[in-house]
Amino acid sequence: MQKLLRTLSCTLLAAALMTPGFASAAGGFMPYGDISKHWAKTSIIRGVQAGLFAAGSNAPLFYPNRDMTRAEFVALIDRLYNGGQYQLYPLTFLSEHAEWSRGEGFEEPYLPYRDVDRLTWMYSPTLRVSYIMDRLYGPDAIQQVFPGEQMKPNQPITHEEAAKLLQMFTMTGDSQNAWSEVNNWGWIEGERTDLLKRGEAAVAADRLMTYLVQDTILPLLDFDGSKFPMVPEIQELFPLFVTYTDSKTTDEQSYVTAVEAIRNHEDTDDTYRALSKLATNSFSNQIGVHFYLSWNPSTPLTDNLNEAFGAIDAYFQDKIILPDTLRLLSANVYDIALQLGASDNREYDKVLTRLSDYEKKLKQDTKEWESLSIYLGALEIKAGHTDKALSRYEKFASKHPEALLNSAYYLVQEGRTQEAETLLASQKPKASDERMVQLVKLLGQELNSIKEQSSIATDLAYTLNHLDRASSYQVKGEAFLSGFSFTYTQDVDAQRNASRTSGFYQSPQKLVSDKLETYTDGQKKIQYTYDSNKQSWDKHQTGSLDFVHEWVGAQSIKERQSNLHARYYKQSFGRYDIITEWIPGEVLEEKAKNVTLGRGKIKNVPLYMNKYYIDRQSDELVKHVWRYEEIYESKEYVAFSGTDNYDLTANVKVSIPDDVRKEVTP
């Protein structure tokens, strides 16, 4: 089916609960009149600030001790997902508002509930959460939370029901463990049959937000090749480095004005001329002057790099110990190195040599040394000195999240999973260090999954082989390929080695849909396609490979795992096992160099991801979701995504009509 679509495209919130806008608030902010003495006050306020709850003249009270309804909690999950969408993307493949891609459900209603009216405030958030759960866990997954034809949206939600919705953020493998897993994370406490109070829901949301901003839910997964080596997030990119009073000298005012211009993206050549003048006189804040001179877009990157090193020189000349400042200055050097290294990989070694000279000025195992060393390790990775970087990270992995993450990731990449487990077992973070406690737990979960790769791949291969052995089946799906959209039904008759596809496709150049109809003769490898413009049939061979994802799809799961470093993750929910597959783009780029493709040589593969939904009782494939992105040397960008739903019980028979064969010109 995917081959057909590629060929054709080439030839042809709840107003009562939530409101955004409370991004920040002054000290003493009290959004409701009934929370000042409530134990959940802090979490409720943070929820308002994050846009999770409505406040104002129309909502003067929060009612923290009132039971939260099912609809209210679903709406809360919807808002939390919007805040944690990036963390879940590797498992959902969903871009913003993707839940509307199939329209609004007039032909095929999304919601299985008769008591959630599309004209009420609860419809949209319930639709979105239902769609997200379908994508994560398979068809009608929300039925595992609220079974039956009625959701009973105004009924109070229990702790266990809330946990089943929160499970999407935990990465557990079995829906039966949802309550214990959410309870272990500390998001909801009490008994599973208790009714959830609104104050408790606010606390759960607050704890989940803290969880989401600290680490991604799959910390070792680099699905698009941009995450590692990990370096700390810099909170303040535009510091003054010195505190200035209102009564500034002329030079001080000139410096502050220049920084404000850069911060507000209003810098000009005059901005950097003013900074250059300060660099040549006795102005005391030389750290800041050289730091901001390195931002000059009009000078070569090599000059920017020299200025960035000049800022570090000034730091050591001042003989001060400010780890955060040294971290920022080192990050600045590293950022410029990334730009230089993008065109010439040898630049990493050059920058590494210069930055390493500062290490001897620092006492090892200090915060100051860590601030520099995390970037030295990243440069060692970029320069190809992975063993040196691992030796470096090991020295402070127990105190530094990024050092621990990098250590575990590169040990796994080198096939040293046992060493990664030993490293993780040695971590004993303090209970007060929430970031490290959370990271160690997430890494443990992921390392367990990595050990199960062969077993998961075998399960997936068995299911796909089961599909290949089926005598017949039917596929209903939709797909999007570089501006084209398709809705189709495909009948596959394996006994006759033939298939028929019918449906519609929408071209980006046309306002109306065109008829989609094809027959494929698998034995002769010929496809007959109806041309709506000519109102006649064409035929062509189907054996050639046009795209990278076609080439990958022709390989077995075992070949993908061994040759392409495919990574698999398995979850269970309700009646389904869900296996997600990622293949690193850089591996595909390297392996496909010598492959002859119809679209030409591949340049970059930003994404290659699949999800397979398997009925646990029959081992049959129920659903397949995919998302691929490819960039060719011709500068052609290919984005291909879609969903296929399989019915292996369909008894279909396909014969290619004689008039189709006769109509095609030889």
Side-chain angles (χ1 to χ4, degrees), residues 255-290:
Y255 171 76
V256 171
T257 300
V259 173
E260 287 297 320
I262 295 171
R263 179 183 292 139
N264 297 322
H265 306 288
E266 298 173 350
D267 47 311
T268 64
D269 289 342
D270 287 340
T271 303
Y272 297 101
R273 273 194 287 268
L275 289 170
S276 296
K277 182 179 179 181
L278 294 174
T280 60
N281 64 22
S282 58
F283 184 63
S284 60
N285 188 358
Q286 290 298 306
I287 296 176
V289 168
H290 289 288

mmCIF file of all heavy atoms in Angstrom, residues 255-290:
data_model
loop_
_atom_site.group_PDB
_atom_site.id
_atom_site.type_symbol
_atom_site.label_atom_id
_atom_site.label_comp_id
_atom_site.label_asym_id
_atom_site.label_seq_id
_atom_site.Cartn_x
_atom_site.Cartn_y
_atom_site.Cartn_z
ATOM 1 N N TYR A 255 27.730 49.840 27.756
ATOM 2 C CA TYR A 255 27.703 48.370 27.808
ATOM 3 C C TYR A 255 26.282 47.854 28.009
ATOM 4 O O TYR A 255 25.829 46.946 27.292
ATOM 5 C CB TYR A 255 28.611 47.880 28.946
ATOM 6 C CG TYR A 255 28.490 46.404 29.226
ATOM 7 C CD1 TYR A 255 29.069 45.465 28.388
ATOM 8 C CD2 TYR A 255 27.772 45.947 30.343
ATOM 9 C CE1 TYR A 255 28.951 44.104 28.649
ATOM 10 C CE2 TYR A 255 27.651 44.590 30.609
ATOM 11 C CZ TYR A 255 28.240 43.673 29.758
ATOM 12 O OH TYR A 255 28.124 42.335 30.021
ATOM 13 N N VAL A 256 25.561 48.406 28.971
ATOM 14 C CA VAL A 256 24.198 47.963 29.253
ATOM 15 C C VAL A 256 23.302 48.171 28.031
ATOM 16 O O VAL A 256 22.475 47.313 27.692
ATOM 17 C CB VAL A 256 23.628 48.707 30.482
ATOM 18 C CG1 VAL A 256 22.142 48.419 30.640
ATOM 19 C CG2 VAL A 256 24.389 48.310 31.741
ATOM 20 N N THR A 257 23.469 49.288 27.345
ATOM 21 C CA THR A 257 22.680 49.563 26.136
ATOM 22 C C THR A 257 22.958 48.526 25.057
ATOM 23 O O THR A 257 22.040 48.046 24.373
ATOM 24 C CB THR A 257 22.992 50.969 25.603
ATOM 25 O OG1 THR A 257 22.670 51.941 26.609
ATOM 26 C CG2 THR A 257 22.197 51.259 24.338
ATOM 27 N N ALA A 258 24.232 48.148 24.909
ATOM 28 C CA ALA A 258 24.602 47.149 23.899
ATOM 29 C C ALA A 258 23.982 45.789 24.228
ATOM 30 O O ALA A 258 23.453 45.102 23.344
ATOM 31 C CB ALA A 258 26.117 47.029 23.813
ATOM 32 N N VAL A 259 24.024 45.404 25.496
ATOM 33 C CA VAL A 259 23.452 44.119 25.893
ATOM 34 C C VAL A 259 21.945 44.110 25.662
ATOM 35 O O VAL A 259 21.384 43.121 25.174
ATOM 36 C CB VAL A 259 23.775 43.810 27.367
ATOM 37 C CG1 VAL A 259 23.041 42.558 27.838
ATOM 38 C CG2 VAL A 259 25.279 43.646 27.565
ATOM 39 N N GLU A 260 21.285 45.216 26.006
ATOM 40 C CA GLU A 260 19.841 45.293 25.787
ATOM 41 C C GLU A 260 19.508 45.174 24.305
ATOM 42 O O GLU A 260 18.518 44.524 23.932
ATOM 43 C CB GLU A 260 19.299 46.618 26.347
ATOM 44 C CG GLU A 260 19.245 46.678 27.866
ATOM 45 C CD GLU A 260 18.289 45.642 28.442
ATOM 46 O OE1 GLU A 260 17.209 45.444 27.847
ATOM 47 O OE2 GLU A 260 18.630 45.017 29.466
ATOM 48 N N ALA A 261 20.314 45.777 23.463
ATOM 49 C CA ALA A 261 20.075 45.696 22.019
ATOM 50 C C ALA A 261 20.199 44.253 21.528
ATOM 51 O O ALA A 261 19.378 43.771 20.740
ATOM 52 C CB ALA A 261 21.051 46.603 21.270
ATOM 53 N N ILE A 262 21.223 43.542 22.015
ATOM 54 C CA ILE A 262 21.412 42.146 21.602
ATOM 55 C C ILE A 262 20.282 41.284 22.147
ATOM 56 O O ILE A 262 19.723 40.435 21.440
ATOM 57 C CB ILE A 262 22.777 41.628 22.089
ATOM 58 C CG1 ILE A 262 23.911 42.396 21.384
ATOM 59 C CG2 ILE A 262 22.921 40.132 21.844
ATOM 60 C CD1 ILE A 262 25.287 42.109 21.937
ATOM 61 N N ARG A 263 19.906 41.514 23.400
ATOM 62 C CA ARG A 263 18.831 40.741 24.023
ATOM 63 C C ARG A 263 17.519 40.903 23.270
ATOM 64 O O ARG A 263 16.752 39.955 23.114
ATOM 65 C CB ARG A 263 18.669 41.166 25.482
ATOM 66 C CG ARG A 263 17.544 40.442 26.218
ATOM 67 C CD ARG A 263 17.393 40.975 27.625
ATOM 68 N NE ARG A 263 18.529 40.631 28.459
ATOM 69 C CZ ARG A 263 19.093 41.456 29.334
ATOM 70 N NH1 ARG A 263 18.640 42.695 29.454
ATOM 71 N NH2 ARG A 263 20.109 41.060 30.066
ATOM 72 N N ASN A 264 17.250 42.091 22.762
ATOM 73 C CA ASN A 264 15.991 42.390 22.080
ATOM 74 C C ASN A 264 16.089 42.241 20.564
ATOM 75 O O ASN A 264 15.187 42.672 19.839
ATOM 76 C CB ASN A 264 15.536 43.814 22.429
ATOM 77 C CG ASN A 264 15.234 43.975 23.902
ATOM 78 O OD1 ASN A 264 14.697 43.073 24.539
ATOM 79 N ND2 ASN A 264 15.590 45.122 24.463
ATOM 80 N N HIS A 265 17.194 41.659 20.088
ATOM 81 C CA HIS A 265 17.413 41.453 18.655
ATOM 82 C C HIS A 265 17.379 42.769 17.876
ATOM 83 O O HIS A 265 16.891 42.820 16.745
ATOM 84 C CB HIS A 265 16.369 40.482 18.082
ATOM 85 C CG HIS A 265 16.292 39.176 18.823
ATOM 86 N ND1 HIS A 265 17.278 38.206 18.739
ATOM 87 C CD2 HIS A 265 15.361 38.685 19.688
ATOM 88 C CE1 HIS A 265 16.947 37.182 19.496
ATOM 89 N NE2 HIS A 265 15.796 37.445 20.092
ATOM 90 N N GLU A 266 17.890 43.797 18.499
ATOM 91 C CA GLU A 266 17.948 45.118 17.858
ATOM 92 C C GLU A 266 19.387 45.569 17.659
ATOM 93 O O GLU A 266 19.664 46.750 17.458
ATOM 94 C CB GLU A 266 17.191 46.140 18.718
ATOM 95 C CG GLU A 266 15.702 45.823 18.873
ATOM 96 C CD GLU A 266 15.004 46.741 19.864
ATOM 97 O OE1 GLU A 266 15.728 47.503 20.565
ATOM 98 O OE2 GLU A 266 13.771 46.688 19.960
ATOM 99 N N ASP A 267 20.334 44.633 17.703
ATOM 100 C CA ASP A 267 21.750 44.977 17.575
ATOM 101 C C ASP A 267 22.083 45.360 16.138
ATOM 102 O O ASP A 267 21.536 44.815 15.178
ATOM 103 C CB ASP A 267 22.627 43.816 18.044
ATOM 104 C CG ASP A 267 22.180 42.477 17.473
ATOM 105 O OD1 ASP A 267 20.980 42.178 17.558
ATOM 106 O OD2 ASP A 267 23.029 41.733 16.940
ATOM 107 N N THR A 268 23.007 46.297 16.015
ATOM 108 C CA THR A 268 23.491 46.781 14.726
ATOM 109 C C THR A 268 25.018 46.801 14.771
ATOM 110 O O THR A 268 25.635 46.437 15.779
ATOM 111 C CB THR A 268 22.960 48.195 14.441
ATOM 112 O OG1 THR A 268 23.502 49.108 15.436
ATOM 113 C CG2 THR A 268 21.432 48.231 14.497
ATOM 114 N N ASP A 269 25.628 47.259 13.692
ATOM 115 C CA ASP A 269 27.089 47.395 13.679
ATOM 116 C C ASP A 269 27.548 48.349 14.773
ATOM 117 O O ASP A 269 28.628 48.166 15.357
ATOM 118 C CB ASP A 269 27.562 47.899 12.313
ATOM 119 C CG ASP A 269 27.421 46.833 11.229
ATOM 120 O OD1 ASP A 269 27.287 45.651 11.598
ATOM 121 O OD2 ASP A 269 27.440 47.182 10.036
ATOM 122 N N ASP A 270 26.752 49.366 15.063
ATOM 123 C CA ASP A 270 27.112 50.324 16.122
ATOM 124 C C ASP A 270 27.175 49.626 17.486
ATOM 125 O O ASP A 270 27.992 49.998 18.341
ATOM 126 C CB ASP A 270 26.086 51.468 16.182
ATOM 127 C CG ASP A 270 26.221 52.418 15.001
ATOM 128 O OD1 ASP A 270 27.297 52.423 14.370
ATOM 129 O OD2 ASP A 270 25.245 53.139 14.708
ATOM 130 N N THR A 271 26.316 48.619 17.693
ATOM 131 C CA THR A 271 26.326 47.874 18.956
ATOM 132 C C THR A 271 27.693 47.248 19.191
ATOM 133 O O THR A 271 28.279 47.361 20.280
ATOM 134 C CB THR A 271 25.255 46.766 18.933
ATOM 135 O OG1 THR A 271 23.977 47.352 18.672
ATOM 136 C CG2 THR A 271 25.215 46.016 20.261
ATOM 137 N N TYR A 272 28.230 46.607 18.173
ATOM 138 C CA TYR A 272 29.495 45.900 18.332
ATOM 139 C C TYR A 272 30.693 46.846 18.275
ATOM 140 O O TYR A 272 31.742 46.550 18.858
ATOM 141 C CB TYR A 272 29.596 44.795 17.280
ATOM 142 C CG TYR A 272 28.492 43.772 17.479
ATOM 143 C CD1 TYR A 272 27.353 43.789 16.670
ATOM 144 C CD2 TYR A 272 28.555 42.842 18.504
ATOM 145 C CE1 TYR A 272 26.322 42.889 16.875
ATOM 146 C CE2 TYR A 272 27.525 41.940 18.724
ATOM 147 C CZ TYR A 272 26.412 41.973 17.910
ATOM 148 O OH TYR A 272 25.390 41.087 18.131
ATOM 149 N N ARG A 273 30.512 47.996 17.620
ATOM 150 C CA ARG A 273 31.587 49.011 17.665
ATOM 151 C C ARG A 273 31.728 49.541 19.087
ATOM 152 O O ARG A 273 32.848 49.761 19.564
ATOM 153 C CB ARG A 273 31.283 50.145 16.681
ATOM 154 C CG ARG A 273 31.786 49.874 15.270
ATOM 155 C CD ARG A 273 31.783 51.123 14.418
ATOM 156 N NE ARG A 273 30.432 51.515 14.041
ATOM 157 C CZ ARG A 273 29.832 51.123 12.922
ATOM 158 N NH1 ARG A 273 30.463 50.313 12.091
ATOM 159 N NH2 ARG A 273 28.619 51.525 12.630
ATOM 160 N N ALA A 274 30.586 49.726 19.748
ATOM 161 C CA ALA A 274 30.632 50.204 21.141
ATOM 162 C C ALA A 274 31.308 49.181 22.049
ATOM 163 O O ALA A 274 32.119 49.528 22.919
ATOM 164 C CB ALA A 274 29.212 50.493 21.629
ATOM 165 N N LEU A 275 31.006 47.903 21.843
ATOM 166 C CA LEU A 275 31.634 46.858 22.645
ATOM 167 C C LEU A 275 33.126 46.750 22.343
ATOM 168 O O LEU A 275 33.952 46.547 23.248
ATOM 169 C CB LEU A 275 30.956 45.510 22.380
ATOM 170 C CG LEU A 275 29.527 45.353 22.933
ATOM 171 C CD1 LEU A 275 28.881 44.072 22.397
ATOM 172 C CD2 LEU A 275 29.538 45.343 24.461
ATOM 173 N N SER A 276 33.500 46.892 21.071
ATOM 174 C CA SER A 276 34.924 46.831 20.698
ATOM 175 C C SER A 276 35.704 47.955 21.354
ATOM 176 O O SER A 276 36.860 47.770 21.780
ATOM 177 C CB SER A 276 35.069 46.908 19.174
ATOM 178 O OG SER A 276 34.486 45.785 18.549
ATOM 179 N N LYS A 277 35.076 49.117 21.464
ATOM 180 C CA LYS A 277 35.733 50.249 22.121
ATOM 181 C C LYS A 277 35.969 49.940 23.602
ATOM 182 O O LYS A 277 37.040 50.240 24.148
ATOM 183 C CB LYS A 277 34.871 51.498 21.963
ATOM 184 C CG LYS A 277 35.493 52.753 22.563
ATOM 185 C CD LYS A 277 34.596 53.970 22.341
ATOM 186 C CE LYS A 277 35.228 55.214 22.977
ATOM 187 N NZ LYS A 277 34.346 56.403 22.792
ATOM 188 N N LEU A 278 34.990 49.306 24.243
ATOM 189 C CA LEU A 278 35.129 48.946 25.659
ATOM 190 C C LEU A 278 36.197 47.874 25.858
ATOM 191 O O LEU A 278 36.841 47.801 26.911
ATOM 192 C CB LEU A 278 33.796 48.443 26.206
ATOM 193 C CG LEU A 278 32.658 49.477 26.279
ATOM 194 C CD1 LEU A 278 31.358 48.803 26.714
ATOM 195 C CD2 LEU A 278 33.015 50.609 27.237
ATOM 196 N N ALA A 279 36.400 47.042 24.828
ATOM 197 C CA ALA A 279 37.404 45.977 24.934
ATOM 198 C C ALA A 279 38.820 46.526 24.911
ATOM 199 O O ALA A 279 39.755 45.852 25.371
ATOM 200 C CB ALA A 279 37.220 44.975 23.799
ATOM 201 N N THR A 280 39.005 47.733 24.394
ATOM 202 C CA THR A 280 40.354 48.299 24.260
ATOM 203 C C THR A 280 40.693 49.298 25.350
ATOM 204 O O THR A 280 41.819 49.804 25.384
ATOM 205 C CB THR A 280 40.500 48.990 22.885
ATOM 206 O OG1 THR A 280 39.518 50.037 22.778
ATOM 207 C CG2 THR A 280 40.294 47.988 21.757
ATOM 208 N N ASN A 281 39.749 49.616 26.227
ATOM 209 C CA ASN A 281 40.070 50.554 27.311
ATOM 210 C C ASN A 281 40.069 49.818 28.649
ATOM 211 O O ASN A 281 40.116 48.597 28.696
ATOM 212 C CB ASN A 281 39.108 51.756 27.310
ATOM 213 C CG ASN A 281 37.657 51.347 27.584
ATOM 214 O OD1 ASN A 281 37.411 50.304 28.155
ATOM 215 N ND2 ASN A 281 36.706 52.189 27.168
ATOM 216 N N SER A 282 39.978 50.518 29.697
ATOM 217 C CA SER A 282 40.114 49.929 31.033
ATOM 218 C C SER A 282 38.775 49.503 31.641
ATOM 219 O O SER A 282 38.680 49.307 32.848
ATOM 220 C CB SER A 282 40.791 50.938 31.977
ATOM 221 O OG SER A 282 40.017 52.139 32.033
ATOM 222 N N PHE A 283 37.762 49.339 30.811
ATOM 223 C CA PHE A 283 36.450 48.925 31.319
ATOM 224 C C PHE A 283 36.597 47.594 32.055
ATOM 225 O O PHE A 283 37.183 46.630 31.554
ATOM 226 C CB PHE A 283 35.460 48.791 30.157
ATOM 227 C CG PHE A 283 34.057 48.461 30.580
ATOM 228 C CD1 PHE A 283 33.326 49.345 31.370
ATOM 229 C CD2 PHE A 283 33.457 47.267 30.190
ATOM 230 C CE1 PHE A 283 32.028 49.044 31.753
ATOM 231 C CE2 PHE A 283 32.163 46.965 30.568
ATOM 232 C CZ PHE A 283 31.449 47.854 31.355
ATOM 233 N N SER A 284 36.036 47.502 33.240
ATOM 234 C CA SER A 284 36.317 46.370 34.125
ATOM 235 C C SER A 284 35.616 45.073 33.713
ATOM 236 O O SER A 284 36.137 43.987 33.951
ATOM 237 C CB SER A 284 35.922 46.723 35.563
ATOM 238 O OG SER A 284 34.525 47.030 35.623
ATOM 239 N N ASN A 285 34.454 45.165 33.093
ATOM 240 C CA ASN A 285 33.666 43.957 32.785
ATOM 241 C C ASN A 285 34.082 43.375 31.434
ATOM 242 O O ASN A 285 33.315 43.349 30.474
ATOM 243 C CB ASN A 285 32.176 44.298 32.789
ATOM 244 C CG ASN A 285 31.290 43.050 32.680
ATOM 245 O OD1 ASN A 285 31.774 41.941 32.563
ATOM 246 N ND2 ASN A 285 29.980 43.261 32.711
ATOM 247 N N GLN A 286 35.306 42.866 31.357
ATOM 248 C CA GLN A 286 35.795 42.313 30.102
ATOM 249 C C GLN A 286 35.167 40.949 29.789
ATOM 250 O O GLN A 286 35.097 40.542 28.624
ATOM 251 C CB GLN A 286 37.317 42.186 30.141
ATOM 252 C CG GLN A 286 38.044 43.527 30.115
ATOM 253 C CD GLN A 286 37.752 44.307 28.834
ATOM 254 O OE1 GLN A 286 37.942 43.802 27.734
ATOM 255 N NE2 GLN A 286 37.284 45.548 28.994
ATOM 256 N N ILE A 287 34.691 40.242 30.817
ATOM 257 C CA ILE A 287 33.983 38.982 30.558
ATOM 258 C C ILE A 287 32.772 39.246 29.666
ATOM 259 O O ILE A 287 32.586 38.614 28.623
ATOM 260 C CB ILE A 287 33.528 38.324 31.880
ATOM 261 C CG1 ILE A 287 34.730 37.936 32.729
ATOM 262 C CG2 ILE A 287 32.654 37.104 31.596
ATOM 263 C CD1 ILE A 287 34.355 37.378 34.099
ATOM 264 N N GLY A 288 31.952 40.205 30.090
ATOM 265 C CA GLY A 288 30.752 40.519 29.334
ATOM 266 C C GLY A 288 31.049 41.093 27.966
ATOM 267 O O GLY A 288 30.394 40.742 26.977
ATOM 268 N N VAL A 289 32.054 41.953 27.876
ATOM 269 C CA VAL A 289 32.390 42.594 26.602
ATOM 270 C C VAL A 289 32.767 41.543 25.562
ATOM 271 O O VAL A 289 32.247 41.521 24.440
ATOM 272 C CB VAL A 289 33.528 43.613 26.795
ATOM 273 C CG1 VAL A 289 34.078 44.046 25.433
ATOM 274 C CG2 VAL A 289 33.032 44.825 27.560
ATOM 275 N N HIS A 290 33.678 40.633 25.917
ATOM 276 C CA HIS A 290 34.119 39.626 24.948
ATOM 277 C C HIS A 290 33.022 38.593 24.678
ATOM 278 O O HIS A 290 32.904 38.088 23.551
ATOM 279 C CB HIS A 290 35.392 38.940 25.450
ATOM 280 C CG HIS A 290 36.591 39.829 25.410
ATOM 281 N ND1 HIS A 290 37.200 40.187 24.227
ATOM 282 C CD2 HIS A 290 37.294 40.459 26.398
ATOM 283 C CE1 HIS A 290 38.232 40.981 24.481
ATOM 284 N NE2 HIS A 290 38.303 41.168 25.799
#
